[in-house]
Amino acid sequence: MLWYKTEAQKEDVDIKKRSSIEKSEWSVTREESFEKYCFEIVFGFGDKLQIENKKVYVIKNGEAIEVTVPQKHKTFWYEAWLGLRAFYSID
């Protein structure tokens, strides 16, 4: 038995592709926001933020303290933000 897509099913696939692109663009924008939040948190405490070898460090009083190692490239800044919130005990 052969299965063929109807025109309506083809349109559904096209719609899914378009929303996927929008979701991807939204994810990039969201990650940019989390990057900004990370720097705001760290600078708010008078420290510096350093990213090295896919690890997030806070430079506090000249000492590099490893905060987190984000697991996914796509959510790097979100994971860093979560780690910084835990490090600084921000609810």
Side-chain angles (χ1 to χ4, degrees):
M1 178 177 183
L2 294 175
W3 183 75
Y4 296 98
K5 289 185 177 179
T6 64
E7 286 301 313
Q9 289 170 327
K10 287 180 184 177
E11 289 176 15
D12 287 344
V13 171
D14 290 340
I15 290 171
K16 288 178 185 174
K17 286 180 185 175
R18 277 187 250 131
S19 66
S20 177
I21 291 169
E22 289 173 6
K23 183 178 179 184
S24 174
E25 290 170 352
W26 180 79
S27 295
V28 168
T29 303
R30 187 169 173 230
E31 271 297 285
E32 290 170 353
S33 296
F34 281 115
E35 180 180 6
K36 181 182 171 187
Y37 298 152
C38 287
F39 281 96
E40 287 175 354
I41 289 170
V42 173
F43 293 144
F45 284 91
D47 300 327
K48 293 182 182 179
L49 185 63
Q50 181 178 341
I51 309 301
E52 189 175 311
N53 297 326
K54 299 179 182 178
K55 296 178 182 176
V56 179
Y57 295 90
V58 168
I59 309 299
K60 190 175 200 69
N61 300 323
E63 180 183 349
I65 304 166
E66 184 179 319
V67 175
T68 188
V69 181
Q71 300 299 308
K72 295 181 182 178
H73 175 73
K74 289 174 79 173
T75 58
F76 182 90
W77 288 107
Y78 172 69
E79 292 180 54
W81 176 75
L82 290 174
L84 289 168
R85 288 176 52 89
F87 178 79
Y88 288 110
S89 300
I90 300 172
D91 291 331

